[in-house]
Amino acid sequence: MATASSSFSACTLGRAMPSPKAVNGSIDSMCCYPNLFSIQSSLKSISLSADITLPRGLSNDEEIRKFSRRERIQCGALDVETMPSFLKGNKFQFDDVIEAQQFERDTLSAIFEVAREMEKIEKKSPGSQILKGYLMATLFYEPSTRTRLSFESAMKRLGGEVLTTENAREFSSAAKGETLEDTIRTVEGYSDIIVMRHFESGAARRAAATASIPVINAGDGPGQHPTQALLDVYTIEREIGKLDGIKVGLVGDLANGRTVRSLAYLLSKYQNVKLYFVSPEVVKMKDDIKDYLTSKGVEWEESADLMEVASKCDVVYQTRIQKERFGGKTELYEEARGKYIVDHDVLGAMQKHAVIMHPLPRLDEITVDVDADPRAAYFRQAKNGLYIRMAVLKLLLVGW
């Protein structure tokens, strides 16, 4: 084996980490993974502080070939000049979709373009066979309606097939004590891609580190929900017409809401974005998100006044207070529930071009009489989830 070494701060990587966006710059994410991006031209320059093991006969002057899915290296910031990897027919940069930090702005734009193609397929080519012969397994350890059905619909609309479990927490071998890793090793033998929702933060990363087929995180406890964030940003672009220079109010359960966490990560990719956090004291946005936004130069502000925030924002993103995240602390749930409600008064304060979004399901945090207002975008948002998930499945299984 040949080795190459040079100089940068290192971190240990696992299989399911995001690809580095390395065009004359540093990696945005904390970690990277060499087999998650395709190099279209020869390596121009590379700065590493750890030794990288290369295949026999290669040096860092030669074209770098794709490493095994199991390879792990010590890595940090790269300075690499490459051709864009999202050219038609090329492999997708990622083996898995685990967290929002994986995606850079240009990759998001390319994914959204694929989603627009998927919308045309859904409307005009119901017999698409793009994913014919592929099987998707859905492992949902928590309840789901929109996410699960939209993934299953996406797969079938592209000609693929679905293997599914009903409430895997109770009606799979998990109820017998089987480990997540053993379940994943078994299920990957039956399918080509796994879509998993789990009640534990970090479970999707564990699944991806175990599987040799793609894994999509469909929500891991209070952690992340990356495909929801993709569809949210896609919806904002469609509804508002831009992503730079927007103001977004995140309302409700910000401590436990995996959707708002993932959305905050993605919005940080755009210029002159400002986020407002409106929540009861017991479910305020956690410091890790605030610190991340600050490190990226994203302006954010906490407020207790929903009406004032609504008057300033292009998007009011309402969320449900999640009773299931409070455990037995019902008094804290009751303290948080019902404090911030989007109703006609809030609509009256909003700008004419602004929209209301919600990842759904809702309880009483948006009154039903708001539904008739054209600024109520949450059902359009849910529909956009189909196109984004069609795009993600297509990209992971057959590429650009």
Side-chain angles (χ1 to χ4, degrees):
M1 301 294 284
T3 61
S5 59
S6 64
S7 68
F8 70 64
S9 71
C11 61
T12 302
L13 287 192
R15 171 179 163 276
M17 299 305 295
S19 147
K21 174 61 185 168
V23 180
N24 292 329
S26 63
I27 301 170
D28 179 55
S29 299
M30 292 177 63
C31 299
C32 66
Y33 205 170
N35 67 331
L36 295 183
F37 64 108
S38 54
I39 295 184
Q40 304 290 324
S41 62
S42 34
L43 190 65
K44 302 293 185 183
S45 59
I46 183 167
S47 299
L48 301 172
S49 74
D51 287 345
I52 299 181
T53 302
L54 302 177
R56 184 180 301 277
L58 286 184
S59 73
N60 65 338
D61 294 324
E62 298 172 334
E63 184 177 24
I64 304 301
R65 299 297 183 187
K66 183 171 170 231
F67 284 71
S68 161
R69 290 177 68 89
R70 299 297 182 192
E71 285 289 321
R72 292 173 183 265
I73 66 169
Q74 297 291 329
C75 80
L78 298 178
D79 184 17
V80 181
E81 293 177 14
T82 67
M83 294 288 287
S85 58
F86 31 84
L87 299 173
K88 212 151 235 189
N90 285 348
K91 188 179 183 301
F92 193 39
Q93 296 97 303
F94 307 111
D95 289 323
D96 313 286
V97 171
I98 302 301
E99 60 185 9
Q101 299 96 301
Q102 288 178 249
F103 302 100
E104 291 293 342
R105 178 178 176 141
D106 51 359
T107 307
L108 290 170
S109 296
I111 292 170
F112 296 162
E113 186 60 38
V114 177
R116 285 186 279 272
E117 293 175 9
M118 296 300 105
E119 184 170 356
K120 293 175 186 175
I121 286 174
E122 188 258 344
K123 286 179 165 52
K124 299 178 182 178
S125 304
S128 174
Q129 298 297 299
I130 291 174
L131 297 184
K132 183 178 180 181
Y134 288 98
L135 279 168
M136 178 185 76
T138 56
L139 279 174
F140 279 67
Y141 292 82
E142 283 190 326
S144 173
T145 302
R146 279 150 295 278
T147 301
R148 179 178 168 183
L149 291 182
S150 64
F151 265 116
E152 294 183 359
S153 176
M155 191 67 178
K156 291 189 174 185
R157 286 183 180 278
L158 292 176
E161 296 294 335
V162 175
L163 304 173
T164 189
T165 58
E166 184 67 37
N167 192 353
R169 190 173 187 174
E170 294 182 24
F171 300 112
S172 76
S173 293
K176 303 174 184 178
E178 183 176 55
T179 67
L180 175 63
E181 285 76 10
D182 281 2
T183 298
I184 294 298
R185 290 188 186 102
T186 301
V187 172
E188 72 174 350
Y190 308 146
S191 58
D192 302 294
I193 190 167
I194 296 171
V195 178
M196 188 181 82
R197 170 168 290 184
H198 203 276
F199 48 89
E200 291 180 358
S201 181
R205 187 181 303 283
R206 287 169 52 202
T210 302
S212 60
I213 63 174
V215 172
I216 299 175
N217 181 4
D220 58 342
Q224 287 211 39
H225 196 349
T227 62
Q228 179 70 46
L230 289 173
L231 76 91
D232 289 342
V233 175
Y234 182 64
T235 299
I236 292 170
E237 184 182 57
R238 289 173 65 97
E239 296 285 335
I240 304 300
K242 64 177 184 177
L243 291 164
D244 289 320
I246 61 172
K247 295 179 180 179
V248 179
L250 303 179
V251 186
D253 192 343
L254 307 187
N256 302 306
R258 55 196 172 204
T259 62
V260 289
R261 292 174 58 82
S262 294
L263 180 56
Y265 280 123
L266 285 195
L267 290 176
S268 73
K269 308 297 180 184
Y270 298 92
Q271 299 297 312
N272 302 316
V273 170
K274 180 168 183 179
L275 300 182
Y276 294 88
F277 302 143
V278 183
S279 67
E281 188 69 25
V282 294
V283 286
K284 292 175 67 174
M285 181 63 82
K286 292 181 179 177
D287 287 342
D288 65 326
I289 297 294
K290 297 175 186 176
D291 292 343
Y292 181 86
L293 294 172
T294 298
S295 74
K296 297 301 173 186
V298 178
E299 190 178 357
W300 58 268
E301 177 183 322
E302 291 187 307
S303 174
D305 191 336
L306 176 57
M307 295 290 283
E308 181 185 6
V309 168
S311 70
K312 298 175 180 178
C313 286
D314 302 286
V315 178
V316 174
Y317 192 99
Q318 176 71 290
T319 64
R320 174 178 62 93
I321 303 297
Q322 300 180 63
K323 185 176 183 179
E324 63 271 24
R325 307 293 179 209
F326 284 80
K329 300 177 182 177
T330 55
E331 70 283 357
L332 292 180
Y333 169 71
E334 292 299 333
E335 179 185 335
R337 180 172 175 261
K339 187 163 185 180
Y340 295 107
I341 295 176
V342 173
D343 55 19
H344 264 295
D345 290 337
V346 174
L347 277 175
M350 290 174 60
Q351 301 173 75
K352 295 298 182 186
H353 75 278
V355 294
I356 302 164
M357 295 173 60
H358 192 306
L360 302 175
R362 68 169 165 189
L363 298 180
D364 56 0
E365 63 274 5
I366 300 178
T367 59
V368 293
D369 55 353
V370 170
D371 297 355
D373 193 287
R375 291 170 292 179
Y378 29 91
F379 293 115
R380 298 191 294 274
Q381 176 186 355
K383 178 71 178 195
N384 287 336
L386 172 64
Y387 309 133
I388 285 292
R389 286 162 181 143
M390 288 172 73
V392 169
L393 289 171
K394 188 257 186 186
L395 290 170
L396 283 169
L397 290 169
V398 301
W400 294 101

